[in-house]
Amino acid sequence: MSYQWDFAAIWPYRMLLLEGLWGTIQIGVTSIVFGMLAGIILAIMKNSPLRLVRIPAIMIIGFYRNTPAIVHFFWIYYALPVVSPLTLSPFAAAVLALSAQSAAFYAEVYRGGIQSISNGQWEGAKALGMPRATALRRIILPQALRRMLPPFLERSFELLKSTALASSLAYSELLYQAMQVNSQTYRPLEVYTLIAVMYFTLLLFISQCSQMIEKRLAVSDAR
């Protein structure tokens, strides 16, 4: 017996799904921003000549790069209140988990981009009397960021897809809202097909925007 598709049954719940989409965007954007900020700190620490600074960064990056994100979600939300007085909301726990893991990946992107700049740039800045931190901010990073854009975008795509894990904390992102709609309509094929299309549309839009940025950077470099 062939299945009878009925997307009309989901229409009354459209605002619930749109609310979930907005929750996904909020978690994704917030985690990307915090992950990028923490990532550059870890990258600088890992490049430090001081072992007391470098070793902790290596351990943090290695830990978060080699453990599943869902473990961080559960530990931060369920275990952290047991071992400390800190209790986080589902949103805060999801952002912290995603930001921490993404920071480890972003740190490696930063480090690779910085190391791709020739030593002559550092030496030229030193000859001008620039401190290392100033040279990094004004000379090295502006050049490295152009080279880091593709891996940054790839990691950001992965992070946006990982926001679905926040449903395990009962946060009202897209997947969680879809499960609520499915429990009301009993139309799993329609519900999950629709959210797949919503995820695809969101990521396709971001992909097109990133390609435009890359093209503009390529044109500016050619001038």
Side-chain angles (χ1 to χ4, degrees):
M1 185 176 179
S2 61
Y3 184 78
Q4 299 296 318
W5 293 83
D6 182 18
F7 283 98
I10 305 173
W11 180 250
Y13 301 92
R14 60 192 181 279
M15 297 308 298
L16 201 63
L17 293 176
L18 289 175
E19 179 185 334
L21 179 62
W22 176 238
T24 292
I25 293 172
Q26 284 182 304
I27 289 182
V29 172
T30 307
S31 299
I32 288 171
V33 171
F34 283 119
M36 291 178 69
L37 292 175
I40 194 169
I41 294 173
L42 285 174
I44 293 171
M45 289 174 62
K46 190 171 181 178
N47 282 335
S48 173
L50 300 176
R51 288 175 57 86
L52 289 177
V53 176
R54 186 175 67 255
I55 298 302
I58 293 173
M59 294 176 63
I60 291 170
I61 292 171
F63 173 77
Y64 279 103
R65 281 174 60 90
N66 294 288
T67 50
I70 190 67
V71 174
H72 307 151
F73 275 78
F74 286 157
W75 202 94
I76 291 171
Y77 188 67
Y78 294 110
L80 189 60
V82 176
V83 298
S84 75
L86 185 62
T87 301
L88 299 178
S89 67
F91 175 81
V95 167
L96 181 57
L98 285 173
S99 298
Q101 190 176 52
S102 292
F105 286 91
Y106 285 137
E108 291 299 284
V109 175
Y110 279 120
R111 189 175 65 87
I114 292 171
Q115 289 182 345
S116 71
I117 304 301
S118 66
N119 288 331
Q121 300 287 333
W122 290 102
E123 293 171 0
K126 185 177 180 180
L128 293 173
M130 281 189 184
R132 185 176 178 84
T134 304
L136 178 66
R137 185 180 72 254
R138 299 182 60 181
I139 297 177
I140 305 302
L141 276 181
Q143 298 179 70
L145 285 173
R146 296 174 184 270
R147 304 179 184 183
M148 292 187 284
L149 184 59
F152 264 136
L153 294 174
E154 181 181 352
R155 178 56 202 163
S156 298
F157 286 155
E158 292 300 318
L159 186 149
L160 285 170
K161 288 185 284 186
S162 296
T163 57
L165 296 174
S167 62
S168 63
L169 308 183
Y171 176 72
S172 58
E173 50 75 58
L174 186 53
L175 180 59
Y176 180 81
Q177 297 294 67
M179 291 190 291
Q180 303 309 305
V181 173
N182 182 53
S183 68
Q184 297 294 321
T185 62
Y186 300 100
R187 308 295 299 189
L189 291 181
E190 289 87 343
V191 171
Y192 294 116
T193 298
L194 181 58
I195 67 163
V197 171
M198 294 173 74
Y199 273 118
F200 175 78
T201 303
L202 173 63
L203 292 173
L204 180 62
F205 172 75
I206 296 172
S207 176
Q208 293 299 315
C209 291
S210 65
Q211 288 180 15
M212 290 176 60
I213 294 173
E214 287 188 55
K215 289 179 180 178
R216 288 181 179 274
L217 289 175
V219 171
S220 64
D221 287 341
R223 291 176 179 174

